[in-house]
């Protein structure tokens, strides 16, 4: 059992207890962050005169060699160690001798693991933001390509009013923009360095915490040592943000699954993002969309788990907090995979534009515009609403769209109708005359595309 403690104990830890307590099986994931933090700590110790500059150099050189060897596969992280910190320190001592024992001066595993988790989370936020940026670029291109791709807009999963696929896709663009913003907020709020907090009450060594924070690109040191080692708010915030990303991916996936069905046939998924059936040769299943929808529950589970773990923990550090890692690692990996696969799926997805347009025409999505036509011709809105309701009922009974009714049929219900009604309720007119910002009309959508173009360029700058 390779561990960093034991002097106070007279008996070996029971093997089952040791295994239950150990975290090396999962916290080895942030070996890079652990070594980076240790390099910064050793550099600070040397500059502060707590150890000599030569000792600091020996330690940092040794740590860099360990990092290089682990990354290259030359050095394997052994499972006999209690945690990643034990592995790094023991390997360092083995390589440079007793000088390596000075690395942990002025530091506790409590502030060390708090630092490692912050560094790892911060790195992964950057990675997730990059994936979201790629997804938003795909959505932006889809919007540009489909300004005149008409489709029904829905409420209650019932056809409501005509929109365009650009407009529909734009709704998700706004969602993912908010997701990106949330991740940025979390990054900025968590970007303070806990190293130097010690176990919970700081240390008597004259640490230069500002220097350590600067070396690791933090805004500055945390201001309360007890909070420093027991804060997991940033993980809760991250898992909440990841859950919200999954909501958006899942909602879009649900629509794609519906649109991909034989009944809708709005879209066709590329073969590379579909699977078949072992028994039904005709099947082409939207498995990627379904898995993205399904994995949402997995990420929710991580959020509920950490909320439950943290709700009753007194200050400061408690071992319960070790439970933050596996679920966070899994949620991050899950969301990254979902974003990347979803992006590939919609980038290769084909639209059946004719089918979408016919569906919009046959669902009475222009009924509101027919009512507006009557209002503009002097009929009070409440009366117009009732007239169009009777008109729709007549059209249903006769298996026709409103556009298919003759002028005589329209005038039998309301004599106000004139020949220009057909242009007023055409799909193109219904969409094009809605041009206030945020609406589906081409001019309104072009304004949004310009805004999004600048937004994406600013993110890439």
């Amino acid at each position: 059992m390779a561990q960093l403690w034991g002097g106070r104990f007279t008996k070996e830890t029971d093997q089952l207890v040791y295994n239950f307590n150990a975290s090396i099986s999962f916290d080895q994931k942030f070996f890079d962050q652990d070594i980076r933090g240790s390099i910064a700590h050793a550099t600070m110790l040397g500059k502060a005169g707590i150890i000599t500059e030569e000792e600091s150099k020996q330690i940092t050189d040794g740590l860099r060699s360990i990092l290089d060897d682990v990354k290259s596969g030359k050095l394997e992280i052994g499972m006999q160690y209690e945690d990643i910190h034990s592995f790094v320190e023991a390997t360092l001592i083995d390589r440079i001798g007793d000088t390596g024992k000075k690395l942990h001066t002025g530091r506790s595993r409590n502030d060390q693991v708090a630092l490692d988790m912050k560094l790892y989370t911060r790195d992964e936020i950057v990675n997730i933001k990059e994936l979201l940026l790629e997804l938003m670029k795909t959505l932006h291109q889809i919007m540009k390509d489909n300004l005149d791709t008409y489709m029904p807009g829905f409420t209650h999963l019932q056809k409501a009013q005509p929109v365009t696929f650009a407009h529909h896709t734009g709704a998700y663009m706004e969602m993912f923009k908010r997701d990106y913003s949330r991740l940025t907020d979390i990054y900025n709020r968590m970007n303070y360095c806990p190293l130097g907090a010690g176990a919970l009450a700081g240390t008597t060594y004259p640490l230069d915490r500002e220097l350590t924070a600067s070396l690791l690109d933090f805004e500055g040191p945390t201001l309360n040592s007890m909070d420093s080692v027991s804060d997991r708010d940033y993980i809760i915030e991250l898992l909440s943000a990841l859950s919200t990303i999954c909501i958006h991916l899942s909602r879009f996936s649900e629509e794609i699954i519906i649109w991909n069905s034989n009944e809708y046939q709005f879209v066709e998924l590329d073969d590379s993002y579909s699977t078949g059936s072992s028994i039904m040769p005709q099947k082409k299943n939207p498995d990627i969309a379904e898995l993205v929808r399904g994995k949402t529950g997995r990420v929710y589970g991580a959020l509920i788990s950490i909320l439950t773990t943290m709700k009753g923990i007194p200050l400061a550090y408690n071992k319960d907090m070790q439970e933050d890692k596996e679920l966070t690692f899994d949620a991050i990996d899950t969301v990254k995979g979902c974003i990347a696969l979803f992006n590939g799926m919609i980038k290769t997805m084909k639209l059946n534009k004719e089918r979408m347009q016919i569906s919009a025409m046959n669902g009475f999505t222009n009924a509101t515009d027919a009512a507006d036509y009557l209002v503009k011709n002097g009929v009070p809105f409440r009366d117009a609403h009732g007239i169009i309701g009777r008109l729709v009922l007549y059209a249903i009974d006769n298996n026709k769209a409103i556009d298919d009714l003759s002028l005589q049929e329209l005038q039998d219900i309301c004599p106000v109708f004139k020949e220009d009604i057909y242009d007023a309720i055409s799909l193109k007119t219904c969409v094009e005359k809605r041009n206030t910002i945020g609406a589906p009309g081409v001019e309104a959508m072009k304004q949004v595309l310009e805004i999004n173009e600048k937004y994406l360029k600013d993110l890439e700058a």
Side-chain angles (χ1 to χ4, degrees), residues 30-45:
F30 49 49
F31 73 89
D32 183 283
Q33 289 79 13
D34 191 76
I35 295 174
R36 278 162 49 201
S38 290
I39 290 172
H41 183 65
T43 301
M44 180 275 297
L45 290 177

Side-chain angles (χ1 to χ4, degrees), residues 390-410:
R390 294 196 301 274
L391 188 65
V392 168
L393 186 60
Y394 175 84
I396 291 172
D397 289 342
N398 289 274
N399 197 28
K400 293 181 177 180
I402 296 176
D403 317 58
D404 297 331
L405 297 176
S406 68
L407 183 60
Q408 185 59 55
E409 287 175 300
L410 293 171

Side-chain angles (χ1 to χ4, degrees), residues 29-81:
K29 196 176 184 77
F30 49 49
F31 73 89
D32 183 283
Q33 289 79 13
D34 191 76
I35 295 174
R36 278 162 49 201
S38 290
I39 290 172
H41 183 65
T43 301
M44 180 275 297
L45 290 177
K47 291 188 179 299
I50 298 169
I51 62 176
T52 69
E53 289 281 4
E54 178 57 33
E55 288 171 328
S56 174
K57 186 177 187 308
Q58 270 189 276
I59 291 172
T60 55
D61 287 348
L63 289 168
R64 289 190 180 95
S65 73
I66 294 170
L67 182 60
D68 291 343
D69 288 351
V70 173
K71 284 185 173 180
S72 68
K74 185 177 177 181
L75 175 63
E76 186 175 336
I77 299 173
M79 291 298 104
Q80 72 271 26
Y81 296 94

Side-chain angles (χ1 to χ4, degrees), residues 226 229-230 309-321:
M226 295 180 76
V229 298
S230 61
T309 296
M310 293 301 297
K311 74 174 182 63
I313 298 180
L315 290 174
Y317 181 80
N318 293 266
K319 196 68 173 183
D320 315 45
M321 294 179 190

